[in-house]
Amino acid sequence: MVVAGQLAGMAERVLGAALPIGFRAWDGSVAGPQDGTVVVIRSRDALRRLVWSPNELGLARAYVSGELDVEGDLATGLSQIWGLVRRGVTRRPRLSEVAKLALRLKVLGPNPDAPKEEARLRGALHTKSRDRDAISHHYDLSNDFYRLVLDPSMAYSCAYFTSEDEPLAQAQHNKLDLVCRKLGLEPGMRLLDVGCGWGSMIIHAAKHYGVHATGVTISAQQRAHILGRIEAEGLTGRVEVRLQDYREVRDEPFDAISTIEMGEHVGESNYPEYASTLHRLLKPEGRLLLQQMSRGHNAPGGGAFIESYVAPDMHMRPVSATTGFLEGAGLEIRDVHALREHYVWTVRAWAQTLEERWDEVVALVGEGQARVWRLYLAGGALTFEEGRMGVDQILAVRRSENGRSGMPRVRRELVAR
């Protein structure tokens, strides 16, 4: 039984082209080019998963569990396969083909249990309790893990690079400063950061712009980290962080609001409420800066792997749909700034750190979770590089009753960006 050869034959019939990657199977057989990316099938369980789930989810489960591995550059292999898909030369294998091959390779059997890293959420979509569980699945992984992979500010969002080779820490500083300048922050103003992560925005705004900053998060580990930063940096009384759902904020309106890559977690049906909440919490003539990932009009957002392992219940839409929601809530759009290429560089920096510190990552979160992140970052960089996803900063204003939008000051550095 030459497993790799039979798998290669099936793959070439499905792809309609010669294999761009190699195969190596548990019986020692090889097929396809071996001098680049090679898919290693370590056990029959990998194929059993594909029999039961012949799609992205089946592949992801096999990879996360270690039953399937990739030697060589994972991102290159994904790019090669996606290139064939884009050219429309793939076809779904017939059920009879799959059954015959499964019988020959003796892989028929019960569906293996999903890896423990897979999200298991309960309850109605985007209820407060389910949202807490969804956020906890990803963001409460380990503060030590995120401290290892991210820059020192622990900004977990697209950075802003002035050159492709700029260090990530400086690029994240650039992004935070860009947000502050677009919001027109001045000493004494009150800033609300919705979905504040590990506090990079509220700490930066308080330290460098003299504002009183409030952050809300539904991640207990994020809040614990921020409380430590507030004390360490002497910002007690100037920075507040709450374990609070955005729907529960009832403060007097703020001078400015930032919300950085939070809207993806809100859900399509809840987005009008999210937008109206931002409007309600913003003073007349106040500014909102929303940074959010988007998808192209004809491109899928998320996918089975992302939704099962990384960001459960995430929803992405074209940027035009997001601006429509904001306008529907009564906000006036003043600027849309696309940062797609910057996310490629951001994700590559995270991926490089992950690989350089692989053993430390595995010791912190386990090999399965480390594999989730390797696949997540490789696929994410490719998705942004190929334009199937983007990220945008949307600047909006709440108009006053007399129609003023509070935007007379245009800082020179924004015009020259």
Side-chain angles (χ1 to χ4, degrees), residues 135 139-140 143 146 150-157 172 175-176 179 191-206 212-230 238-247 249 254 256-266 274 278 289-291:
I135 292 298
Y139 294 93
D140 285 343
N143 282 346
Y146 285 103
L150 304 179
D151 75 294
S153 76
M154 290 180 70
Y156 184 32
S157 54
Q172 291 290 12
K175 183 271 300 297
L176 296 170
V179 172
L191 169 70
L192 173 66
D193 190 33
V194 180
C196 63
W198 285 270
S200 58
M201 179 63 198
I202 52 179
I203 297 292
H204 184 94
H212 295 277
T214 299
V216 294
T217 177
I218 54 175
S219 165
Q221 289 203 29
Q222 286 181 340
R223 182 174 182 270
H225 173 81
I226 297 169
L227 289 173
R229 287 195 66 185
I230 291 171
R238 294 172 54 195
V239 177
E240 176 189 7
V241 58
R242 305 174 187 169
L243 192 63
Q244 186 176 41
D245 190 283
Y246 72 92
R247 289 165 283 197
V249 180
F254 290 80
I257 297 176
S258 56
T259 180
I260 300 175
E261 296 179 28
M262 154 71 180
E264 301 89 338
H265 300 288
V266 169
Y274 177 60
L278 297 174
L289 192 289
L290 181 147
Q291 180 171 309

Side-chain angles (χ1 to χ4, degrees), residues 103-333:
L103 283 169
R104 286 199 302 271
L105 299 182
K106 300 179 181 178
V107 298
L108 291 180
N111 189 10
D113 292 338
K116 63 181 175 60
E117 292 79 10
E118 191 165 309
R120 295 167 176 83
L121 303 183
R122 297 179 179 178
L125 192 64
H126 292 298
T127 56
K128 292 177 184 179
S129 61
R130 183 177 171 114
D131 277 354
R132 279 194 298 271
D133 290 343
I135 292 298
S136 179
H137 172 79
H138 188 60
Y139 294 93
D140 285 343
L141 179 60
S142 162
N143 282 346
D144 289 338
F145 166 78
Y146 285 103
R147 192 177 293 112
L148 192 68
V149 174
L150 304 179
D151 75 294
S153 76
M154 290 180 70
Y156 184 32
S157 54
C158 181
Y160 185 71
F161 292 78
T162 59
S163 64
E164 187 174 347
D165 59 354
E166 187 169 41
L168 177 62
Q170 182 60 51
Q172 291 290 12
H173 181 95
N174 298 344
K175 183 271 300 297
L176 296 170
D177 223 40
L178 183 64
V179 172
C180 290
R181 296 199 309 270
K182 287 183 176 182
L183 288 172
L185 297 184
E186 295 179 351
M189 292 176 68
R190 293 173 63 243
L191 169 70
L192 173 66
D193 190 33
V194 180
C196 63
W198 285 270
S200 58
M201 179 63 198
I202 52 179
I203 297 292
H204 184 94
K207 285 178 62 176
H208 299 287
Y209 287 81
V211 303
H212 295 277
T214 299
V216 294
T217 177
I218 54 175
S219 165
Q221 289 203 29
Q222 286 181 340
R223 182 174 182 270
H225 173 81
I226 297 169
L227 289 173
R229 287 195 66 185
I230 291 171
E231 183 176 356
E233 304 204 32
L235 295 172
T236 301
R238 294 172 54 195
V239 177
E240 176 189 7
V241 58
R242 305 174 187 169
L243 192 63
Q244 186 176 41
D245 190 283
Y246 72 92
R247 289 165 283 197
E248 298 170 347
V249 180
R250 293 289 182 268
D251 297 58
E252 291 296 317
F254 290 80
D255 297 295
I257 297 176
S258 56
T259 180
I260 300 175
E261 296 179 28
M262 154 71 180
E264 301 89 338
H265 300 288
V266 169
E268 188 71 357
S269 62
N270 281 12
Y271 210 90
E273 180 182 3
Y274 177 60
S276 65
T277 298
L278 297 174
H279 179 273
R280 171 176 60 81
L281 292 171
L282 190 61
K283 283 183 177 179
E285 302 185 28
R287 306 180 193 183
L288 164 73
L289 192 289
L290 181 147
Q291 180 171 309
Q292 188 170 299
M293 286 182 277
S294 61
R295 63 171 177 83
H297 277 279
N298 298 316
F305 166 67
I306 292 292
E307 292 166 7
S308 299
Y309 286 90
V310 180
D313 299 343
M314 173 183 274
H315 182 88
M316 286 170 286
R317 67 187 64 78
V319 64
S320 58
T322 295
T323 57
F325 279 126
L326 296 176
E327 288 178 324
L331 294 159
E332 180 180 356
I333 307 301

Side-chain angles (χ1 to χ4, degrees), residues 15-50:
L15 293 172
L19 280 175
I21 60 176
F23 279 117
R24 188 165 75 248
W26 68 85
D27 65 343
S29 60
V30 298
Q34 300 291 303
D35 57 350
T37 305
V38 177
V39 175
V40 182
I41 302 102
R42 299 196 182 280
S43 77
R44 286 184 172 87
D45 276 344
L47 299 184
R48 286 193 180 99
R49 293 187 189 278
L50 290 172

